[in-house]
Amino acid sequence: IRGTANEEPMSVDTILKVGRAAACVFRRADDRRHKVLIGKDTRLSGYMFETALASGLCSMGVDVVLLGPVPTPAVAFLTNDMRADAGVMISASHNPYNDNGIKFFGPDGFKLADAVEESIEQLVMSDAELDRRRPDAEAVGKAHRLEDARGRYISYLKHNFPRQLSLDGVKMVVDCAHGAAYKIAPVVFSELGADVTVISAKPNGKNINENCGAVHPQKMIAKVKEAHARIGLALDGDADRVVVCDETGRIFDGDDLLAILAESMKKRGELKNGVVGTVMSNFGLEKRLEGKKIPFHRAPVGDRYVVEKMKETGAELGGEPSGHIVNLLRSTTGDGILTCVLLLAELRRQGKPLSSFYGQFDRYPQELRNVEVREKRALEKISPVTKSIRQAEKRLNGTGRVLVRYSGTEAKIRVMVEGEDHKLVSELADEIATVIQEEIGAS
């Protein structure tokens, strides 16, 4: 669930019902106390949604553990580690502060299956059924705050860095996006020995992701050059994704990180079933891994779909160009800090700077266009749009591909054209975007 805070569906009334409905779904048919963890990022609206969710869960007989501001992957890890019945993260990820949302995790730390989410949704729509299931006063739940939530997660992250290695002498910049990792990421890398320059770590409830973090890495790049740092890391608001730059300020996106980590894992015998990317992953990455005899699979955009494909294929590593990287040997969801811990470990093993890995595969030119739309009609029913896509594919003549899809979080349609000829790719992306704007574009 995601939207503008204090408007439907992200209203207190609705989130209270979501808490009540989730409690019904997560409670099992036994007499023990049930427990749900709640984490949040640093948005102003997080306070009211934390309270609303906790109230809804407690009112239906479930105990609540409040984690405070922690990254999304910390909620996933702690839910599994503490053997809770579920975990909830209150965050709108990389969106501006005025948006908010919630993500659920099951007891295994993985995001919920569609069928479970649908069960919660059906109950949210049924006041009568929620009232019927409401327990009496003696059975309501209680809430308490877990004071060492951050410490537990920090310890877990550090344990993923080999003890025989150290970050002593590594000067680095960490951009926390004024988000959920602002008290965690600096401690992790400092305690591993790095000389850390921290930026964007003073949240005020309204500055999360504002001209900083993974969505806006320019501030990180400037600070790396100014501080003569060896590497820069920019997390997003809930720290489930990361963008990295080398000492020259050159960006390494999720595709670059997948290539480095995949080859590292294969060398150490950890990668046996391959890598999962998305339909947005650059074809150059696929060719690179193919040359290394590493199977590569594609999933729809979205880290949950990446994880589903990983489970289906047995792949140990997966991710998206946006910087969501999932290592199923160590985590159940995308984790920006963990990704950097593993990346830095590989750099220390090889004794090389990140810059030595730049251009490790030949990127096919990709052009992206985002078009704001007034409605999300089925694309196959918009004849001019499907015609423009077919024409583009014909002109590429097998040397590239076209992907047009609606954003899952915004009223936008995303156009991606990839091919060998940059000029042609750009021209085709513009043509498709223009047709979309004419047909369903927002005025």
Side-chain angles (χ1 to χ4, degrees), residues 128-200:
E129 182 62 19
L130 287 176
D131 288 342
R132 189 186 71 78
R133 298 194 189 190
R134 184 170 53 203
D136 55 29
E138 65 181 24
V140 299
K142 58 183 183 294
H144 75 275
R145 194 164 296 278
L146 182 66
E147 299 298 339
D148 68 339
R150 288 196 296 266
R152 293 189 189 201
Y153 181 55
I154 288 169
S155 178
Y156 152 76
L157 290 167
K158 287 164 54 185
H159 276 119
N160 280 281
F161 192 84
R163 293 194 67 87
Q164 69 271 23
L165 299 177
S166 168
L167 294 181
D168 288 350
V170 175
K171 196 169 189 179
M172 61 190 295
V173 171
V174 178
D175 184 338
C176 298
H178 299 302
Y182 79 106
K183 285 189 175 180
I184 292 175
V187 174
V188 170
F189 297 110
S190 294
E191 292 190 357
L192 289 174
D195 177 1
V196 182
T197 298
V198 184
I199 62 174
S200 309

Side-chain angles (χ1 to χ4, degrees), residues 354-367:
L354 180 61
S355 55
S356 66
F357 292 88
Y358 191 78
Q360 59 196 321
F361 59 86
D362 295 326
R363 284 181 176 271
Y364 276 51
Q366 267 187 2
E367 286 290 326

Side-chain angles (χ1 to χ4, degrees), residues 160-162 165-167 189 192 261 264 268 330 338-351:
N160 280 281
F161 192 84
L165 299 177
S166 168
L167 294 181
F189 297 110
L192 289 174
L261 294 174
S264 168
R268 289 177 289 108
R330 294 175 168 84
L338 175 63
T339 297
C340 293
V341 167
L342 299 176
L343 172 67
L344 286 163
E346 181 59 18
L347 297 182
R348 295 306 270 177
R349 284 190 197 96
Q350 296 200 31

Side-chain angles (χ1 to χ4, degrees), residues 5 33 53 71 398:
R33 300 295 298 182
L53 266 174

Side-chain angles (χ1 to χ4, degrees), residues 60 98 125 140 158 197 221 226 337 367 423 426 430:
M60 302 303 281
N98 48 298
M125 303 300 179
V140 299
K158 287 164 54 185
T197 298
I221 293 170
E226 175 192 320
I337 304 175
E367 286 290 326
K423 183 179 177 182
S426 181
D430 285 337

Side-chain angles (χ1 to χ4, degrees), residues 73 76-77 80 105 108-111 156 160 258 261-262 265 268 270-277 297 299 303-319 324-335 338-339 342:
F77 163 71
N80 186 5
F105 294 93
D108 56 0
F110 287 98
K111 289 183 178 177
Y156 152 76
N160 280 281
L258 280 179
L261 294 174
M265 291 174 68
R268 289 177 289 108
E270 292 183 350
L271 193 72
K272 298 176 181 177
N273 298 305
V275 174
V276 171
H297 315 274
D303 61 328
R304 67 176 295 167
Y305 300 113
V306 170
V307 171
E308 285 176 7
K309 193 72 172 179
M310 292 173 75
K311 288 180 174 180
E312 176 189 323
T313 61
E316 296 86 358
L317 183 68
H324 284 114
I325 305 294
V326 184
N327 182 321
L328 277 188
L329 300 180
R330 294 175 168 84
S331 183
T332 57
T333 191
D335 190 327
L338 175 63
T339 297
L342 299 176

